[in-house]
């Protein structure tokens, strides 16, 4: 048995102690995910479990009473002080705070099917960055086996299905947001695996996972453009994909050779950068295995 416990009362007593830089914020989120993966993989020796304790493996997330808003009335309402905005999918299998090992008031979470950058999402992040000086990072977090990406891939591969969405404006809006990633992934798979790759039984599945990574990167790059009026060195846009099986965040390929352990990646800055990323994904062993699997 495994327990993830929020222990309220100890630890930081208010929202102070936030990361000062985007790099520190990125490291905190990667470490939080590392701790969850370690807990699930080695339940008896995971970081955060109590030494020598009997019973279930446990990870304790300390939350100060003040950090939970239990300060005295004289101290007023808890100050809103998240250090990262996270745009994730609405999929119920992707609980953002748990995946990243963070507590209340740490993350400014937005969730929508396909983690696409709808206007209301942009407005919300714009508000956070413009009004919350604690903000350091803006994360787009896709995930494997995404239903929204799967729907977009099916609509792309079978235009008749897209026609069926013609009167479903809201649903079509999500699919339309996802099409650039699907188009890019489709072209890269055919380029890398050959023109007959589309006949392989695993093609649609490979395209779904390739597109999920590309979509997160594209949405993060779009966010960087939207944030151009802010200092993107202070609030950096990054992306990753959460693997429903391993519970790790990251991408199937090493995005930055200078920092191979980095799992929250900077999105490409150019069209050629995206094409290169798409080819690397299509040539990865993970996508190759999906193509062959069927
Ligand atoms: Zn999803």
């Amino acid at each position: 048995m495994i327990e993830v416990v929020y222990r309220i009362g100890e630890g930081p007593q208010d929202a102070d102690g936030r990361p000062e830089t985007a790099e520190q914020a990125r490291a905190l989120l990667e470490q939080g995910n590392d701790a969850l993966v370690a807990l699930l993989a080695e339940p008896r020796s995971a970081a955060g479990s109590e030494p020598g304790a009997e019973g279930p493996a446990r990870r304790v997330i300390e939350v100060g009473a003040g950090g939970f808003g239990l300060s005295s009335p004289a101290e007023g309402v808890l100050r809103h002080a998240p250090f990262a905005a996270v745009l994730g999918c609405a999929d119920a299998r992707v609980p953002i705070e748990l995946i990243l090992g963070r507590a209340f008031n740490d993350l400014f979470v937005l969730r929508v099917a396909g983690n696409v950058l709808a206007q209301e999402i942009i407005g919300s992040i714009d508000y956070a960055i413009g009004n919350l000086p604690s903000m350091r990072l803006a994360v787009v977090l896709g995930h494997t086996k995404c239903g929204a990406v799967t729907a977009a891939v099916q609509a792309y591969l079978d235009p008749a299905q897209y026609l069926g969405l013609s009167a479903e404006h809201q649903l079509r809006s999500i699919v339309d947001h996802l099409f650039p990633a699907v188009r890019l992934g489709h072209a890269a798979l055919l380029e890398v695996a050959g023109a007959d790759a589309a006949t392989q039984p695993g093609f649609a599945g490979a395209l779904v996972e390739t597109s999920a990574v590309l979509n997160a990167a594209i949405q993060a790059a779009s966010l960087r453009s939207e944030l151009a009026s802010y200092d993107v060195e202070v609030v950096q846009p990054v992306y990753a994909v959460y693997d429903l099986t391993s519970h790790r965040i990251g991408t199937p390929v090493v995005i930055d050779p200078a920092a191979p352990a980095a799992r929250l990646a900077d999105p490409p800055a150019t069209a050629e950068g995206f094409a290169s990323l798409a080819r690397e994904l299509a040539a990865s062993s993970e996508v190759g295995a999906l193509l062959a699997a069927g």
Side-chain angles (χ1 to χ4, degrees):
M1 186 184 293
I2 293 168
E3 291 182 352
V4 178
V5 176
Y6 287 102
R7 180 181 291 154
I8 299 168
E10 299 175 9
Q13 289 304 302
D14 56 27
D16 290 339
R18 289 289 190 261
E20 294 179 4
T21 67
E23 285 309 314
Q24 291 173 1
R26 190 190 301 216
L28 271 180
L29 298 185
E30 290 176 347
Q31 288 161 9
N33 180 244
D34 282 340
L36 175 68
V37 172
L39 182 71
L40 298 176
E42 297 184 64
R44 294 272 166 197
S45 60
S49 60
E50 295 175 349
E54 296 295 327
R58 176 184 292 180
R59 171 164 158 70
V60 176
I61 299 174
E62 300 281 1
V63 185
F68 189 54
L70 297 177
S71 51
S72 68
E75 294 174 61
V77 175
L78 175 64
R79 179 163 55 97
H80 192 194
F83 65 82
V86 183
L87 168 55
C89 184
D91 192 303
R93 298 168 295 179
V94 188
I96 304 293
E97 277 95 346
L98 183 63
I99 288 169
L100 299 174
R102 302 310 308 175
F104 325 100
N105 205 18
D106 284 347
L107 305 177
F108 189 87
V109 176
L110 307 114
R111 295 178 69 172
V112 63
N115 43 276
V116 296
L117 208 57
Q119 289 299 315
E120 291 81 0
I121 298 287
I122 295 171
S124 300
I125 296 176
D126 187 81
Y127 162 79
I129 294 176
N131 293 278
L132 306 174
S134 52
M135 288 283 294
R136 292 293 177 271
L137 206 60
V139 181
V140 179
L141 186 65
H143 69 99
T144 60
K145 308 286 185 206
C146 180
V149 175
T150 301
V153 164
Q154 289 172 344
Y156 187 77
L157 296 178
D158 179 7
Q161 287 204 22
Y162 185 65
L163 206 58
L165 294 175
S166 57
E168 307 258 0
H169 296 295
Q170 291 86 349
L171 192 56
R172 203 180 76 200
S173 169
I174 292 173
V175 168
D176 285 348
H177 272 290
L178 292 164
F179 265 181
V182 176
R183 285 198 188 97
L184 187 59
H186 189 264
L189 279 174
L190 294 186
E191 182 183 340
V192 169
D196 63 348
T199 62
Q200 294 194 36
F203 185 77
L207 183 53
V208 167
E209 302 312 334
T210 304
S211 301
V213 180
L214 292 173
N215 175 55
I218 287 171
Q219 304 303 330
S222 300
L223 192 54
R224 182 169 52 204
S225 301
E226 296 292 339
L227 302 182
S229 61
Y230 300 102
D231 187 345
V232 290
E233 293 303 315
V234 175
V235 182
Q236 276 183 13
V238 294
Y239 75 97
V241 169
Y242 170 66
D243 186 330
L244 291 182
T245 303
S246 70
H247 307 283
R248 281 175 60 84
I249 59 167
T251 60
V253 296
V254 173
I255 303 300
D256 180 2
R263 293 186 283 120
L264 288 168
D266 298 317
T270 63
E272 177 47 40
F274 272 103
S276 173
L277 172 61
R279 284 193 296 271
E280 285 186 51
L281 288 166
S284 68
S285 56
E286 287 83 352
V287 170
L290 289 169
L291 265 179

